[in-house]
Amino acid sequence: MTERRELGQGGRPTLKTISKITGLGVTTVSRALKDGPELSAETRALVQSIASDIGYRPNRAGVRLRTGRTLVVGLILDQSVTIAEFERRIILGVSSVLKKTDYHLVVTPVLDGADAMEPVRYMVENGAADGLIFTHTHPRDERVRYLLDRGFPFVSHGRTELDADHPFYDFDNERFIVESVERLVARGRQRLALVVPPDTLTCAGHMIEGFRKATDRAGVSAIAVDGVHLDSEPGDFRAAARAMATPPDAPDGIICGNETRCVALMAGLRDAGLVVGEDVDVIAKETSDLLNHLEPAIDSFREDLVFAGQEVARLLLRRIDGAPVRELQSIAEPQFHSRIMRQPPLKSVVS
């Protein structure tokens, strides 16, 4: 191993190091490391195995001089998020895709209340990355407009309402709400409530629109939950659940777009003396296995955040390579997770 490393300049393995070991040309080695389809599987496997064995890493400074690329992908994460393990799962997904490339991931947190544009401007104005990924989009998101105007590659986790197309991955929140309403109505529920994210987020509008359409179509009551949203503190959430559980206006079906707040919601319903699964049914959106351990069990719709991280990374790499925007828009369908197998409820606090 030491002898092999000494073939590189200053002890650092280079393309020439691998070339001397394999007897292949430097160009062939480079193509093999990029998994070039024009080479045989055996040649690619040989070069990649030796590169791993000797600890070869591309010289990023040299790559930048030759290509103008940093080999860096920036991931900007909103720290106000309340979804369990959101950040860890997104990072895991992005990293699992980038590890197969020469790209490195740089994660930048945006603290609650901070200027969301600051890390975006820094990355662009300093040429600190080849592309950006960010989350929690707004209908008229300034970050999207800024990056489009500068032709800087990016993918957003979430859509906007801007008139210009842009690359995105999103979860179909409207479909999640529509299917949740349909399942609650099928169980005989007539007074439905919805708890949504802050109304500054695009996804909140999608949820509200789905709720309006589905409740109108089913002819059931739609109840507004005042005073809290999915980023509210758990204590406030629990208090709001107690307040709205007072007959005769109490909902008999509730849809909650966040699993951690669903736990506080159900605690508040218990405080008010309601039995989940009998007096009221709850359906939540899940992003982890938290609801598997909640009693009583409730049904949910799952958003796979590891897949979301993988998808935004795949889309961004394609965008960096020049793929057209219209090919870089992905919407994931909700995945129903059934935990309760029973007939329609026997009783309800609402007559």
Side-chain angles (χ1 to χ4, degrees), residues 131-199:
L132 288 178
I133 298 166
F134 55 87
T135 64
H136 295 76
T137 53
H138 307 279
R140 312 298 297 177
D141 204 301
E142 184 182 2
R143 298 169 296 181
V144 170
R145 177 60 68 189
Y146 173 88
L147 292 166
L148 286 175
D149 287 347
R150 285 152 183 79
F152 194 89
F154 74 94
V155 174
S156 61
H157 181 276
R159 285 168 280 175
T160 69
E161 295 177 3
L162 294 169
D163 55 5
D165 279 335
H166 64 88
F168 65 77
Y169 162 88
D170 203 2
F171 176 79
D172 196 339
N173 283 290
E174 182 174 336
R175 187 74 240 161
F176 152 56
I177 298 300
V178 168
E179 293 192 19
S180 295
V181 169
E182 291 171 350
R183 290 181 180 278
L184 290 171
V185 170
R187 284 188 47 74
R189 302 311 189 182
Q190 295 292 311
R191 292 179 53 78
L192 308 187
L194 170 66
V195 188
V196 297
D199 59 11

Side-chain angles (χ1 to χ4, degrees), residues 89-90 157 169 171 285-288 301-310 332-333 335:
R89 289 171 185 264
I90 290 288
H157 181 276
Y169 162 88
F171 176 79
K285 178 180 175 181
E286 70 171 36
T287 57
S288 73
F301 284 88
R302 183 174 184 82
E303 178 183 5
D304 187 339
L305 289 176
V306 174
F307 173 80
Q310 293 170 336
E333 291 297 315
Q335 304 165 23

Side-chain angles (χ1 to χ4, degrees), residues 289-308:
D289 64 351
L290 176 65
L291 296 183
N292 290 339
H293 310 288
L294 187 62
E295 292 291 341
I298 64 169
D299 289 337
S300 62
F301 284 88
R302 183 174 184 82
E303 178 183 5
D304 187 339
L305 289 176
V306 174
F307 173 80

